């Protein structure tokens, strides 16, 4: 016999759906109130409302936007738009919509070199390297720095891109309790014989808005002979005399081994960077797979980042405004009985508890004309579903007064405020 078993004539084999497991998992997400769906958003027009950058359209409805990462209000800045337009129109020898190749092939335009030199000068480090996104900067850098036989010590609330970079690196992954340097010390002692050791943290944590104990992390770095990497995605543009970030504000920026930041939040554009010693940047240029095997950013995006950097460095009123607004709103919501965390950044978590309560809270605010991010597990720990409020320098006092009133009123009606 040849092992073949042809179908019996007239008998039809049952159809097999190889994707049936997806429906089962989606049904489970729906049961746990964790299924996510894409909804259409559009930028508000200047003729629709004052301070259009503080509003958005969601499914056609105009809403006060308390859900974006546009902290300095630069995403709609006409100077950045014009710089991008000019880069397309005035490019020599001809305009280019895309870089056309990875940076190590032919995608490394002169604008890249100028931008990286300016970033390095701004951050007061020897060199910088621009990546296509924050996710790619983190995953590519971590996987280049450590591998099998190494150990990475990561705050439990670090961003998913950090977690994924550690997984891709195949290094040992040891998570310490949030901002608990005592627990970190225990882990470092337990794994001090690892070939290489990397401590990594967000500077400002994206779902809680609080900050990392960076000085303490530096001391542990020195004591245990580790490297320290700090993700300034949510602190860049906000802290420091020229918006350099939290490490600058603390005066430790020259001591941190790897500084990473993004251009998609306070800068209002897209992309990311890593900076540090010239040795580090040379090494990443040769070893970081997300840089080596990705097409470079379009020249117009580089031009937009360059203009945004100029604005971030010189318009300090934007930092002052958004931090003052965040402190005021946080104080008022806390006084009303809401749990809004301990940070002082433009990120304000309003802890609702259950997934259903958080969704209901967000839906009520949307009915009232306010868009707040509704964050559920696994992005945050179980039982801590929340509204994530993100302020910008463009929000007026009157707008925030109304937002505060609606949040407190609906918080009481939903039982979030007892």
């Amino acid at each position: 016999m040849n092992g073949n078993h042809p179908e019996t004539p007239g008998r039809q084999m049952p159809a097999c759906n190889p994707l049936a497991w997806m429906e089962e998992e989606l049904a489970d997400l729906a049961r746990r109130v964790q299924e996510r769906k894409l909804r259409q958003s559009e930028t508000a027009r200047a003729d629709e409302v004052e301070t259009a950058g503080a509003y958005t359209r969601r499914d056609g409805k105009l809403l006060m936007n308390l859900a974006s990462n546009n902290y300095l209000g630069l995403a709609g800045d006409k100077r950045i738009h014009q710089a991008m337009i000019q880069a397309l129109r005035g490019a020599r020898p001809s305009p280019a919509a895309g870089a056309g190749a990875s940076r190590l092939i032919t995608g490394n335009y002169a604008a890249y070199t100028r931008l990286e030199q300016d970033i390095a000068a701004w951050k007061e480090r020897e060199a910088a390297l621009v990546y296509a996104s924050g996710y790619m900067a983190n995953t590519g850098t971590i996987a280049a720095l450590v591998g099998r036989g190494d150990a990475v010590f990561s705050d439990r609330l670090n961003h998913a891109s950090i977690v994924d970079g550690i997984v891709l690196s195949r290094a040992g992954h040891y998570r310490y309790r949030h901002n608990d340097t005592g627990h970190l010390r225990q882990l470092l002692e337990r794994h001090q014989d690892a070939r290489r050791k990397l401590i990594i943290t967000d500077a400002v944590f994206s779902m809680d808005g609080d900050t990392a104990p960076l000085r303490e992390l530096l001391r542990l770095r020195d004591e245990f002979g580790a490297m320290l990497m700090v993700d300034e995605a949510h602190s860049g543009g906000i802290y420091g005399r020229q918006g350099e970030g939290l490490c600058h504000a603390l005066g430790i920026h020259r001591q941190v081994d790897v500084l990473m930041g993004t251009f998609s939040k306070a800068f209002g554009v897209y992309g990311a960077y890593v900076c540090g010693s010239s040795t580090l940047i040379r090494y990443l240029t040769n070893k970081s797979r997300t840089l080596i095997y990705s097409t470079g950013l379009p020249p117009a995006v580089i031009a937009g980042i360059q203009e945004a950097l100029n604005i971030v460095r010189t318009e300090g009123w934007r930092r002052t405004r958004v931090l003052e607004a965040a402190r005021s709103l946080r104080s008022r919501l806390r006084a009303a009985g809401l749990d809004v965390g301990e940070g002082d950044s433009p990120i304000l978590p309003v802890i609702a508890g259950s997934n259903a309560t958080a969704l209901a809270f967000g839906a009520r605010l949307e009915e009232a004309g306010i868009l707040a991010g509704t964050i559920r597990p696994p992005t945050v720990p179980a039982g801590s579903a929340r509204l994530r409020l993100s302020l910008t320098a463009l929000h007026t006092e009157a707008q925030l007064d109304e937002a505060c009133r609606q949040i407190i009123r609906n918080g009481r009606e939903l039982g979030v405020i007892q």
Side-chain angles (χ1 to χ4, degrees):
M1 297 180 64
N2 60 14
N4 292 328
H5 300 281
E7 288 186 27
T8 302
R11 181 182 175 188
Q12 188 172 5
M13 296 293 289
C16 177
N17 179 4
L19 305 183
W21 60 273
M22 292 185 187
E23 293 291 348
E24 294 173 4
E25 291 203 12
L26 286 169
D28 183 56
L29 286 174
R31 281 193 299 271
R32 290 185 280 124
V33 199
Q34 290 184 4
E35 184 179 4
R36 294 162 172 81
K37 297 179 181 179
L38 293 172
R39 296 178 63 189
Q40 183 174 319
S41 297
E42 297 172 357
T43 303
R45 300 192 311 271
D47 61 350
E48 290 181 299
V49 66
E50 185 183 6
T51 61
Y55 285 80
T56 190
R57 280 196 171 276
R58 171 63 69 87
D59 297 335
K61 182 178 180 179
L62 188 65
L63 301 169
M64 186 195 307
N65 190 357
L66 292 178
S68 81
N69 293 324
N70 184 26
Y71 303 128
L72 299 184
L74 293 180
D77 195 285
K78 292 182 179 179
R79 292 167 293 180
I80 297 174
H81 300 173
Q82 192 60 35
M84 298 176 77
I85 292 169
Q86 289 176 351
L88 281 171
R89 289 179 174 171
R92 296 290 183 270
S94 63
S102 68
R103 293 188 61 188
L104 286 171
I105 305 300
T106 62
N108 193 47
Y109 286 71
Y112 259 116
T113 302
R114 290 194 297 271
L115 176 60
E116 287 170 342
Q117 290 172 344
D118 285 352
I119 293 168
W122 173 58
K123 300 288 283 188
E124 298 183 291
R125 299 304 300 264
E126 290 180 353
L129 190 63
V130 169
Y131 282 79
S133 71
Y135 193 95
M136 295 175 72
N138 272 340
T139 55
T141 298
I142 295 167
L145 294 176
V146 291
R148 288 189 177 93
D150 300 329
V152 184
F153 305 89
S154 175
D155 191 291
R156 280 189 178 273
L157 298 189
N158 277 340
H159 190 265
S161 60
I162 293 175
V163 176
D164 289 356
I166 298 169
V167 172
L168 287 169
S169 77
R170 299 181 176 87
H173 184 183
Y174 308 105
R175 297 192 299 166
Y176 58 92
R177 291 185 291 271
H178 179 51
N179 281 348
D180 187 339
T181 54
H183 187 214
L184 172 58
R185 170 181 287 279
Q186 292 174 10
L187 293 173
L188 284 163
E189 289 173 345
R190 193 177 304 158
H191 302 283
Q192 58 185 316
D193 293 333
R195 184 184 61 158
R196 297 180 192 138
K197 294 179 285 293
L198 172 66
I199 301 169
I200 187 164
T201 185
D202 285 336
V204 170
F205 292 89
S206 60
M207 293 298 127
D208 290 77
D210 58 345
T211 58
L214 295 177
R215 289 195 178 100
E216 290 85 348
L217 295 183
L218 268 174
R219 284 193 283 270
L220 289 171
R221 184 275 309 264
D222 293 341
E223 181 178 348
F224 288 92
M227 298 175 284
L228 176 61
M229 179 174 173
V230 178
D231 181 335
E232 297 253 32
H234 293 274
S235 58
I238 306 301
Y239 299 95
R241 189 172 61 85
Q242 294 188 345
E244 303 96 334
L246 186 61
C247 289
H248 258 77
L250 296 174
I252 61 171
H253 54 284
R254 290 190 181 93
Q255 299 168 257
V256 176
D257 301 290
V258 186
L259 288 166
M260 175 271 180
T262 62
F263 304 119
S264 55
K265 298 173 180 66
F267 282 70
V269 193
Y270 192 67
Y273 66 87
V274 172
C275 64
S277 69
S278 57
T279 299
L280 170 70
I281 299 309
R282 284 174 54 211
Y283 183 83
L284 292 178
T285 302
N286 286 274
K287 294 290 187 176
S288 181
R289 294 171 66 86
T290 55
L291 175 87
I292 296 168
Y293 298 109
S294 294
T295 297
L297 283 170
V301 174
I302 296 296
I305 296 170
Q306 184 74 65
E307 181 62 24
L309 177 59
N310 296 338
I311 297 170
V312 166
R313 295 180 71 170
T314 58
E315 296 189 359
W317 67 266
R318 294 176 182 272
R319 284 182 283 285
T320 300
R321 168 60 189 153
V322 73
L323 286 172
E324 287 179 350
R327 288 166 189 149
S328 174
L329 183 59
R330 183 178 282 105
S331 176
R332 293 158 70 185
L333 294 178
R334 182 180 288 124
L338 287 162
D339 180 358
V340 292
E342 299 299 327
D344 71 343
S345 73
I347 301 168
L348 283 77
V350 179
I351 308 301
S354 73
N355 295 348
T357 301
L359 285 175
F361 207 161
R364 280 171 170 248
L365 290 181
E366 191 165 332
E367 282 295 316
I370 299 168
L371 180 62
T374 304
I375 311 298
R376 292 162 285 165
T379 306
V380 294
S384 69
R386 67 195 64 186
L387 301 181
R388 179 186 184 270
L389 309 179
S390 301
L391 275 60
T392 81
L394 301 181
H395 286 114
T396 67
E397 288 186 21
Q399 290 164 356
L400 294 179
D401 285 345
E402 173 63 10
C404 186
R405 187 180 71 82
Q406 292 289 351
I407 292 167
I408 292 171
R409 179 176 70 83
N410 284 285
R412 287 198 179 109
E413 291 178 358
L414 288 167
V416 178
I417 300 175
Q418 299 299 325

